[in-house]
Amino acid sequence: MEPRRMHISGNWKMNLGPRQSKGYLDELKGQFAALSFDQESFESRGVDVSLFPPFTSLHVFSESARDMPVVYGAQNAYCEASGAYTGEISADMVKELGARQVLVGHSERRHIFAESTDLIARKVSRVLSADLQVMLCVGETLEERQKGDTFDVLEKQVLTAIAHQTPEEVASWIQIAYEPVWAIGTGRNASPEDAQEACQFIRRLIAERFGHRVAPKTRILYGGSVKPGNAQAILERPDVDGALIGGASLKADTFAEVIRIAMEIA
């Protein structure tokens, strides 16, 4: 079985409009050129790179990222194909702009916008039906962790979200990002051991539900205040297949530095 490719991804959240996105991509191209990063080097080292800009910047990526070894996706998509859902965006609309992935179930969607596990499961199915990859985000709050409920929370979030998917879809079309809510944008870091423990647990869940051939193929990322200073220690863990980066992905040079670290580890 081929080793899992490492995936370094950035979630911009509600930051960087079209003009800023264009400037960012120009700077990232310069960073890649300085580091001799191109599609061939990423392929040979087994590293994938992606970014999730705001909806309003997706068209910039469709124009400016064509010749870059960067996949881009949307931060959200609704669970229906079309209809009277003011303010929502469908997976097909996202796909039309050249996006290939969609974030589903981010903690900010769960806690700020009250998205339920059932709604998240419907979104997963809808995104897959549009032939787009899913980046499923899961993670516990500080209160849940302090109560010792981390694994119970992860089990419910993971298995409910992908309950209706086939083993083939889980292995090839779904990636899971473990993002402890207490470590997102708080400056409080989960240790590399915490990241490994949670990612290993998620992989065991996948093995138990979908089979021991699926689990080794499923990519599981860690997210939560990942930056150049802690990236190596996290990415070296055997069950951590990459990082979903928030604030540190908003600067091209910082994001490129994490990619450089991943290239050395892969």
Side-chain angles (χ1 to χ4, degrees), residues 77-78 80-81 89-96 102 126-127 130 132:
Y78 195 53
E80 299 291 345
I89 302 293
S90 74
D92 288 325
M93 292 175 182
V94 168
K95 184 179 180 181
E96 192 172 345
V102 177
R126 177 58 60 186
V127 170
L132 293 171

Side-chain angles (χ1 to χ4, degrees), residues 60-71:
V60 176
F61 276 72
S62 70
E63 297 166 357
S64 299
R66 291 177 183 175
D67 58 345
M68 296 181 66
V70 175
V71 172

Side-chain angles (χ1 to χ4, degrees), residues 16-52:
L16 304 187
R19 185 184 308 169
Q20 293 170 305
S21 296
K22 177 63 167 61
Y24 180 104
L25 290 174
D26 288 343
E27 184 177 348
L28 190 61
K29 286 180 184 180
Q31 294 286 334
F32 281 4
L35 294 166
S36 298
F37 288 168
D38 55 21
Q39 188 64 53
E40 184 177 348
S41 62
F42 285 152
E43 287 292 337
S44 65
R45 298 300 290 273
V47 174
D48 293 326
V49 177
S50 69
L51 285 166
F52 292 93

